[in-house]
Amino acid sequence: MSPPDRKEAEVRRMLDGPHPLVPPDLALRAAVRGRRLLARRRALSRAGWLLLFLAALALTVWAATQQPWTPPPTHTTPPLEGW
């Protein structure tokens, strides 16, 4: 077995030392912050889906009114042949 290295000894010394006191309301603050972050993420997700739906609706309405698949009207008269 190899002798313990410097980093391991340092970690053991830090873990054996006095531990800092944890604030009594730490769990409550973490839960409140977690709920707030979850609500924000949910609101952003809903806003994104709404924006995507509105964009698809606008594209559908535009395509139905403009009909971009039809060829543009010609502004010149076709040549007369066979007269």
Side-chain angles (χ1 to χ4, degrees):
M1 215 164 143
S2 64
D5 61 348
R6 182 185 58 81
K7 289 182 182 179
E8 184 179 343
E10 193 173 323
V11 168
R12 287 187 186 278
R13 189 175 58 245
M14 286 172 49
L15 290 175
D16 288 340
H19 302 292
L21 293 176
V22 176
D25 64 336
L26 182 65
L28 179 65
R29 287 188 296 169
V32 168
R33 183 167 188 244
R35 273 189 232 109
R36 190 171 52 238
L37 288 173
L38 185 62
R40 183 178 299 145
R41 185 177 300 147
R42 192 177 295 139
L44 284 174
S45 175
R46 286 180 181 166
W49 279 110
L50 179 65
L51 185 64
L52 182 67
F53 174 74
L54 290 176
L57 183 67
L59 182 68
T60 304
V61 169
W62 172 79
T65 57
Q66 297 296 317
Q67 297 180 351
W69 53 87
T70 58
T74 57
H75 296 292
T76 60
T77 308
L80 272 176
E81 293 180 7
W83 262 64

mmCIF file with all atom_site columns, all heavy atoms in Angstrom, residues 26 49 51:
data_model
loop_
_atom_site.group_PDB
_atom_site.id
_atom_site.type_symbol
_atom_site.label_atom_id
_atom_site.label_alt_id
_atom_site.label_comp_id
_atom_site.label_asym_id
_atom_site.label_entity_id
_atom_site.label_seq_id
_atom_site.pdbx_PDB_ins_code
_atom_site.Cartn_x
_atom_site.Cartn_y
_atom_site.Cartn_z
_atom_site.occupancy
_atom_site.B_iso_or_equiv
_atom_site.pdbx_formal_charge
_atom_site.auth_seq_id
_atom_site.auth_comp_id
_atom_site.auth_asym_id
_atom_site.auth_atom_id
_atom_site.pdbx_PDB_model_num
ATOM 1  N N   . LEU A 1 26 ? -32.225 26.932 6.591   1.00 0.00 ? 26 LEU A N   1
ATOM 2  C CA  . LEU A 1 26 ? -31.617 26.664 5.296   1.00 0.00 ? 26 LEU A CA  1
ATOM 3  C C   . LEU A 1 26 ? -32.531 25.814 4.402   1.00 0.00 ? 26 LEU A C   1
ATOM 4  O O   . LEU A 1 26 ? -32.708 26.113 3.225   1.00 0.00 ? 26 LEU A O   1
ATOM 5  C CB  . LEU A 1 26 ? -30.270 25.970 5.474   1.00 0.00 ? 26 LEU A CB  1
ATOM 6  C CG  . LEU A 1 26 ? -29.505 25.662 4.190   1.00 0.00 ? 26 LEU A CG  1
ATOM 7  C CD1 . LEU A 1 26 ? -29.120 26.962 3.514   1.00 0.00 ? 26 LEU A CD1 1
ATOM 8  C CD2 . LEU A 1 26 ? -28.284 24.821 4.493   1.00 0.00 ? 26 LEU A CD2 1
ATOM 9  N N   . TRP A 1 49 ? -44.133 27.950 -25.628 1.00 0.00 ? 49 TRP A N   1
ATOM 10 C CA  . TRP A 1 49 ? -45.115 27.170 -26.382 1.00 0.00 ? 49 TRP A CA  1
ATOM 11 C C   . TRP A 1 49 ? -46.191 28.067 -26.979 1.00 0.00 ? 49 TRP A C   1
ATOM 12 O O   . TRP A 1 49 ? -46.644 27.844 -28.112 1.00 0.00 ? 49 TRP A O   1
ATOM 13 C CB  . TRP A 1 49 ? -45.754 26.105 -25.496 1.00 0.00 ? 49 TRP A CB  1
ATOM 14 C CG  . TRP A 1 49 ? -44.905 24.889 -25.340 1.00 0.00 ? 49 TRP A CG  1
ATOM 15 C CD1 . TRP A 1 49 ? -44.256 24.482 -24.218 1.00 0.00 ? 49 TRP A CD1 1
ATOM 16 C CD2 . TRP A 1 49 ? -44.573 23.937 -26.349 1.00 0.00 ? 49 TRP A CD2 1
ATOM 17 N NE1 . TRP A 1 49 ? -43.549 23.333 -24.467 1.00 0.00 ? 49 TRP A NE1 1
ATOM 18 C CE2 . TRP A 1 49 ? -43.737 22.969 -25.762 1.00 0.00 ? 49 TRP A CE2 1
ATOM 19 C CE3 . TRP A 1 49 ? -44.902 23.795 -27.689 1.00 0.00 ? 49 TRP A CE3 1
ATOM 20 C CZ2 . TRP A 1 49 ? -43.229 21.888 -26.468 1.00 0.00 ? 49 TRP A CZ2 1
ATOM 21 C CZ3 . TRP A 1 49 ? -44.401 22.708 -28.396 1.00 0.00 ? 49 TRP A CZ3 1
ATOM 22 C CH2 . TRP A 1 49 ? -43.579 21.783 -27.789 1.00 0.00 ? 49 TRP A CH2 1
ATOM 23 N N   . LEU A 1 51 ? -45.825 31.234 -27.832 1.00 0.00 ? 51 LEU A N   1
ATOM 24 C CA  . LEU A 1 51 ? -45.196 31.945 -28.939 1.00 0.00 ? 51 LEU A CA  1
ATOM 25 C C   . LEU A 1 51 ? -45.077 31.048 -30.167 1.00 0.00 ? 51 LEU A C   1
ATOM 26 O O   . LEU A 1 51 ? -45.351 31.492 -31.289 1.00 0.00 ? 51 LEU A O   1
ATOM 27 C CB  . LEU A 1 51 ? -43.818 32.452 -28.514 1.00 0.00 ? 51 LEU A CB  1
ATOM 28 C CG  . LEU A 1 51 ? -43.073 33.314 -29.511 1.00 0.00 ? 51 LEU A CG  1
ATOM 29 C CD1 . LEU A 1 51 ? -43.838 34.602 -29.760 1.00 0.00 ? 51 LEU A CD1 1
ATOM 30 C CD2 . LEU A 1 51 ? -41.690 33.626 -28.996 1.00 0.00 ? 51 LEU A CD2 1
#
